[in-house]
Amino acid sequence: MSEAYQWLKAKEQDALVVEEKTDRTDVVTQLDRGLERFIIGKIEESFPDDAILGEEKQAHKADWQFHSPQWVIDPIDGTMNFVQGRRHYGHILAFYDGQELIFGLLVEGDTGNMLMAVKGEGVYYKGEKLTPPVLTIEQGLVEISGHMPKTYPLATNAFIEQALGIRVTGSAALAIIDMALGARVGYVAGIFAPWDMVVARLIAQEWGWRLTDFDGADIPLEASSDAIFASPTVYPHLLAAIQLDRKK
Amino acid sequence: MSEAYQWLKAKEQDALVVEEKTDRTDVVTQLDRGLERFIIGKIEESFPDDAILGEEKQAHKADWQFHSPQWVIDPIDGTMNFVQGRRHYGHILAFYDGQELIFGLLVEGDTGNMLMAVKGEGVYYKGEKLTPPVLTIEQGLVEISGHMPKTYPLATNAFIEQALGIRVTGSAALAIIDMALGARVGYVAGIFAPWDMVVARLIAQEWGWRLTDFDGADIPLEASSDAIFASPTVYPHLLAAIQLDRKK
């Protein structure tokens, strides 16, 4: 991943070519695609038989089966942030061995700092092992995705009142790093793709944290879904807040 | 300011002592106070007669007159972010010569990168002169303060619909840097203290941008106020959105 980080930094002066995918808020640039090809090339050199699931490689959606070794990558997570000033984005990479997730990496684009979660080994940031933050909802900030105030106004207000405040970062990678460091106490996302939540999944496994959809159900590895990610202490408050809007 | 940045980095391992000021979301730590004393000491060494306005030095509020040379500092801007993981905060310093603002500095705590705005000289980031970003509201992200979805829900929804999305960073210093770099197209803050907006003021002067309260009026240098900061292209849309909630 440090090679991938360098690949992108070397292209800092390149003008961006921005394309819309599903709508004007869902975009991709030539650097997302180029960096994904670069990472895929590196994986294929060493593991030619493994499947690869990438955000920009959506044509292969039928292959997202997680029944054989599978890499999951999002070359530039927070593409909208990246397009707006090339700031506040991240890189995501994870590996599933055919039976379970083995490791996941998140890299901060602004600093190059890396979080690593490894099955059975815990969670590391900048090479140091992390202790799971122990915080109540009243002691922390809640990360939400940018549409939540519109689609879940009662839940958003509940977070503002119960927690120390809300934050909207616009990158799952950066928000999950903030969760692991205690800079956020909960993360509520209106839509999460498989790559967005893959490292949160590993952290949840390692620390006994919760990652579910808005109904409290587990999310299959290959599914996109709304999502709540938090410690068992905070999680019930987030789920209860979401129900306020559901019952309207 | 690089000395101030180093002062804080050297104390990275110190446990934080957090005190509430007006309520549980308005906090200060011994490092805010210590760093403010450090910066004030540096200023007083060189400019013993100048007045100093600092966030943690509120006892001297009567001195905020801006009729003689005046320094404005916020040693740690985004203290709530700082308390939650020591991430995503900034440092603010500006100088008023008795008649007008002369220069202002914003430093990113995460990277040490600095923005500098100088009267008549323009705006610099990492030593390079910036060109004012030319964006419409449809082409950018709108920064809001964390209470806006609750206190200005219609405006918040208008931003979500009109712009490419909202972001909540929780630090005026970082958000103003994002504004200067085009990573945000507008900034709408429910409450801004004099130090929060002092560098935005200089940028507005240099680039012909707007900085007003929610009624569209200028904000006196010593006042705390709600605030809208944007280019002349984007500003009317932000002001109009705020009026939606005012007319309820």
Side-chain angles (χ1 to χ4, degrees):
Chain A
M1 285 304 268
S2 66
E3 272 183 88
Y5 178 75
Q6 295 306 331
W7 183 96
L8 191 63
K9 287 289 156 191
K11 294 186 168 47
E12 213 156 49
Q13 302 303 323
D14 290 18
L16 290 181
V17 183
V18 181
E19 266 175 60
E20 291 178 14
K21 293 195 292 187
T22 58
D23 66 42
R24 72 188 186 96
T25 66
D26 182 20
V27 293
V28 63
T29 73
Q30 87 280 17
L31 294 183
D32 298 68
R33 295 212 166 106
L35 182 56
E36 182 159 302
R37 280 193 300 272
F38 176 83
I39 297 170
I40 288 175
K42 291 282 169 189
I43 294 170
E44 287 178 343
E45 266 176 37
S46 305
F47 309 98
D49 298 330
D50 289 3
I52 299 168
L53 162 58
E55 172 160 17
E56 308 315 337
K57 202 182 174 231
Q58 307 212 17
H60 296 72
K61 208 158 185 168
D63 296 343
W64 303 3
Q65 299 295 338
F66 288 93
H67 49 48
S68 60
Q70 173 93 55
W71 295 78
V72 181
I73 58 181
D74 186 356
I76 299 177
D77 171 70
T79 300
M80 184 55 75
N81 285 354
F82 179 72
V83 169
Q84 308 295 328
R86 302 209 190 179
R87 294 164 68 76
H88 316 320
Y89 59 90
H91 309 291
I92 303 174
L93 173 77
F95 177 66
Y96 173 84
D97 72 353
Q99 302 205 301
E100 53 193 349
L101 288 169
I102 302 302
F103 69 86
L105 306 177
L106 301 173
V107 179
E108 300 170 6
D110 293 357
T111 64
N113 292 335
M114 187 167 80
L115 177 136
M116 180 171 66
V118 185
K119 186 191 138 38
E121 300 288 336
V123 184
Y124 295 77
Y125 181 69
K126 293 166 74 173
E128 285 182 37
K129 189 163 183 173
L130 299 178
T131 312
V134 181
L135 295 164
T136 64
I137 189 167
E138 290 79 13
Q139 292 170 321
L141 297 165
V142 173
E143 176 82 23
I144 61 174
S145 54
H147 273 80
M148 292 288 299
K150 184 156 179 255
T151 48
Y152 288 84
L154 300 178
T156 300
N157 285 352
F159 303 148
I160 292 172
E161 283 162 21
Q162 279 195 279
L164 290 173
I166 57 161
R167 293 291 182 267
V168 180
T169 299
S171 155
L174 301 186
I176 292 165
I177 290 174
D178 279 332
M179 285 290 300
L181 296 173
R184 303 286 184 266
V185 77
Y187 187 6
V188 181
I191 181 71
F192 242 15
W195 42 87
D196 291 329
M197 65 186 123
V198 67
V199 181
R201 239 176 236 287
L202 266 158
I203 295 171
Q205 283 173 24
E206 287 301 302
W207 287 354
W209 280 17
R210 305 294 314 273
L211 173 67
T212 75
D213 67 18
F214 282 5
D215 294 316
D218 288 342
I219 305 165
L221 272 161
E222 71 281 6
S224 292
S225 171
D226 42 37
I228 304 171
F229 175 48
S231 72
T233 310
V234 174
Y235 172 85
H237 299 278
L238 304 179
L239 185 64
I242 288 294
Q243 300 311 316
L244 296 175
D245 288 289
R246 288 286 175 89
K247 284 178 195 144
K248 267 188 311 196
Chain B
M1 283 304 267
S2 67
E3 272 183 87
Y5 178 75
Q6 295 305 332
W7 183 95
L8 191 63
K9 287 290 156 192
K11 293 186 169 47
E12 212 154 51
Q13 303 303 324
D14 290 18
L16 290 182
V17 184
V18 182
E19 266 176 62
E20 292 177 12
K21 294 195 292 186
T22 57
D23 67 43
R24 72 189 185 97
T25 66
D26 182 21
V27 294
V28 63
T29 73
Q30 86 280 17
L31 294 184
D32 297 69
R33 296 210 166 109
L35 182 57
E36 182 158 303
R37 279 192 302 271
F38 176 84
I39 296 170
I40 288 175
K42 291 282 169 186
I43 295 171
E44 287 178 342
E45 266 175 38
S46 306
F47 309 99
D49 298 331
D50 290 2
I52 300 168
L53 161 57
E55 172 161 20
E56 308 316 336
K57 200 179 177 237
Q58 307 212 18
H60 296 74
K61 208 155 184 171
D63 297 342
W64 303 2
Q65 299 295 338
F66 289 92
H67 49 49
S68 61
Q70 173 91 54
W71 295 78
V72 181
I73 58 182
D74 186 357
I76 299 178
D77 171 71
T79 300
M80 184 55 74
N81 285 355
F82 180 72
V83 168
Q84 308 295 327
R86 302 210 190 179
R87 294 164 69 74
H88 316 321
Y89 59 90
H91 311 290
I92 301 173
L93 174 77
F95 177 67
Y96 172 84
D97 72 354
Q99 301 204 301
E100 53 194 346
L101 288 170
I102 302 301
F103 70 85
L105 307 177
L106 302 173
V107 179
E108 300 169 6
D110 293 357
T111 64
N113 292 335
M114 186 167 81
L115 178 137
M116 180 171 67
V118 185
K119 187 192 136 43
E121 300 288 336
V123 185
Y124 296 76
Y125 180 69
K126 293 166 73 174
E128 284 182 38
K129 188 162 183 174
L130 299 178
T131 313
V134 181
L135 294 164
T136 64
I137 189 167
E138 290 80 10
Q139 292 171 320
L141 297 164
V142 173
E143 177 80 24
I144 60 173
S145 54
H147 272 80
M148 291 288 299
K150 184 157 178 254
T151 48
Y152 288 84
L154 299 178
T156 300
N157 285 351
F159 303 147
I160 292 172
E161 283 162 20
Q162 280 195 280
L164 289 173
I166 57 162
R167 294 291 181 266
V168 181
T169 300
S171 155
L174 301 186
I176 292 165
I177 291 174
D178 279 333
M179 286 289 300
L181 296 174
R184 303 288 185 265
V185 78
Y187 187 6
V188 181
I191 182 73
F192 243 15
W195 42 87
D196 291 328
M197 65 187 124
V198 68
V199 181
R201 240 176 234 288
L202 266 159
I203 295 171
Q205 283 174 24
E206 287 301 302
W207 287 354
W209 281 16
R210 304 293 314 271
L211 174 66
T212 74
D213 66 17
F214 281 4
D215 294 318
D218 288 342
I219 306 165
L221 272 161
E222 71 281 6
S224 292
S225 171
D226 42 36
I228 304 172
F229 175 49
S231 72
T233 310
V234 174
Y235 172 85
H237 299 277
L238 304 179
L239 184 64
I242 288 293
Q243 299 312 314
L244 296 175
D245 288 288
R246 288 287 175 89
K247 284 177 193 146
K248 267 187 309 197

